[in-house]
Amino acid sequence: MIRVARLDAIESMLHEQKVVSTHEIVDILGVSGATARRDLDDLVAEGRVERVHGGARLPEHEDEEDPAPGAVPEETLPAAEPPEVDELFHEVLARNSAVKRTLARAAAALVADGETLFLDVGTTTYELAGCLVGRPLTVVTNSLGVVDVLSASQRGNLVVLGGEYNREYRCTQGRSVQQELRELHIDRAFLGCAGITDLGVVRDNDARQAVIKQAAAECSGETTVLADSSKIPGIGAYTALELASVNRLVIDRPLPTALARLCAAASTEVLIP
């Protein structure tokens, strides 16, 4: 996700919930802690937000409400906190890990031996890869995390899509990834997302990943989106898919009424493990 889009997304979060923590930014935007803090510093420098301990709030002239419980203005702190280092992938993976594993197991149960799958980038699809180790499948992916998991498997085939390397997401991207996908026939595509809007739009934080999701859905017999309930409504500057392109949504809680109706109208199955 480009810097300008991240800053706008953070400001939108603040207009919705008044105070946002650094950890929420990390979880929702899928960035490191260091990136989240740099983005908040940039917003402060532009006068768009005010820092509070552990996050930020809207400037008082825009929002006179008190900060959330536990949020303390930085000027009242006795001393600055020591700087934190970038968060590691396994630390991000640990958040909502039980939910992610539950969704992954439910998705794995849909797969028949011998099928060809596409696994998207993301921590839930990473968990899904772990559920598929040892099964006679062909797995196509641009995620190096998925490659790490499945490369030691003694059964099945692994197809790695080549392209430009994205260090932030540990994946490949670009036109070559899209072209390679379009030359394949995928039985099932399993996709992650940044959020799903009340209008049924599957969103992504990165335009380059959004178009890969689109290409995967186009060449797949069936498209499944994996999303824990924190992704609804979620955020994301880019449209990846409309519900009409999604055959199934695997989620841990019932959907809001309006979104459930949209899924029914689009014939999108909602699977709650």
Side-chain angles (χ1 to χ4, degrees):
M1 188 178 188
I2 61 174
R3 173 184 171 276
V4 172
R6 291 199 311 270
L7 299 187
D8 288 343
I10 292 169
E11 191 171 30
S12 295
M13 291 165 61
L14 283 165
H15 279 289
E16 290 177 3
Q17 61 192 62
K18 311 309 179 187
V19 177
V20 66
S21 71
T22 304
H23 289 302
E24 286 178 300
I25 296 170
V26 168
D27 285 338
I28 294 172
L29 299 188
V31 298
S32 69
T35 297
R37 287 185 289 276
R38 283 195 298 270
D39 287 346
L40 288 178
D41 288 342
D42 289 344
L43 287 168
V44 169
E46 295 175 13
R48 295 162 66 180
V49 309
E50 293 178 349
R51 288 298 298 268
V52 295
H53 180 48
R57 67 180 180 187
L58 290 175
E60 290 188 355
H61 67 274
E62 293 187 32
D63 177 22
E64 300 297 334
E65 294 182 19
D66 291 332
V72 182
E74 286 190 328
E75 59 268 21
T76 68
L77 298 177
E81 294 184 338
E84 299 177 37
V85 299
D86 282 358
E87 295 183 303
L88 301 176
F89 178 79
H90 73 270
E91 294 174 341
V92 178
L93 184 66
R95 295 197 187 98
N96 295 327
S97 58
V99 170
K100 292 173 184 176
R101 285 192 291 269
T102 297
L103 300 181
R105 287 192 294 268
L110 302 169
V111 176
D113 289 349
E115 289 186 332
T116 297
L117 316 177
F118 174 76
L119 266 60
D120 194 15
V121 301
T123 52
T124 308
T125 49
Y126 176 89
E127 292 283 8
L128 174 56
C131 297
L132 302 175
V133 172
R135 293 187 59 179
L137 301 163
T138 296
V139 175
V140 180
T141 189
N142 64 324
S143 165
L144 298 192
V146 170
V147 173
D148 289 343
V149 173
L150 293 177
S151 59
S153 180
Q154 299 302 309
R155 303 182 71 188
N157 301 310
L158 184 58
V159 179
V160 184
L161 301 173
E164 176 190 354
Y165 178 56
N166 183 319
R167 289 180 176 83
E168 184 175 5
Y169 291 99
R170 291 199 69 230
C171 68
T172 57
Q173 62 192 24
R175 291 184 179 179
S176 58
V177 173
Q178 299 169 52
Q179 184 59 40
E180 287 182 52
L181 267 174
R182 292 189 174 107
E183 293 174 356
L184 298 169
H185 176 76
I186 309 295
D187 294 307
R188 302 175 191 270
F190 291 98
L191 310 178
C193 68
I196 303 174
T197 72
D198 292 335
L199 297 178
V201 178
V202 179
R203 303 162 77 179
D204 201 281
N205 290 320
D206 191 304
R208 297 162 298 185
Q209 297 306 314
V211 294
I212 291 172
K213 287 176 170 58
Q214 293 163 11
E218 289 169 4
C219 71
S220 299
E222 183 178 273
T223 299
T224 296
V225 172
L226 308 176
D228 66 73
S229 51
S230 69
K231 300 293 182 69
I232 296 177
I235 62 171
Y238 303 97
T239 296
L241 297 169
E242 303 287 345
L243 273 179
S245 301
V246 178
N247 299 97
R248 182 182 296 104
L249 172 62
V250 182
I251 191 163
D252 57 304
R253 294 182 183 177
L255 297 176
T257 301
L259 185 55
R261 288 174 177 165
L262 285 174
C263 285
S267 297
T268 301
E269 176 190 353
V270 179
L271 175 58
I272 303 174

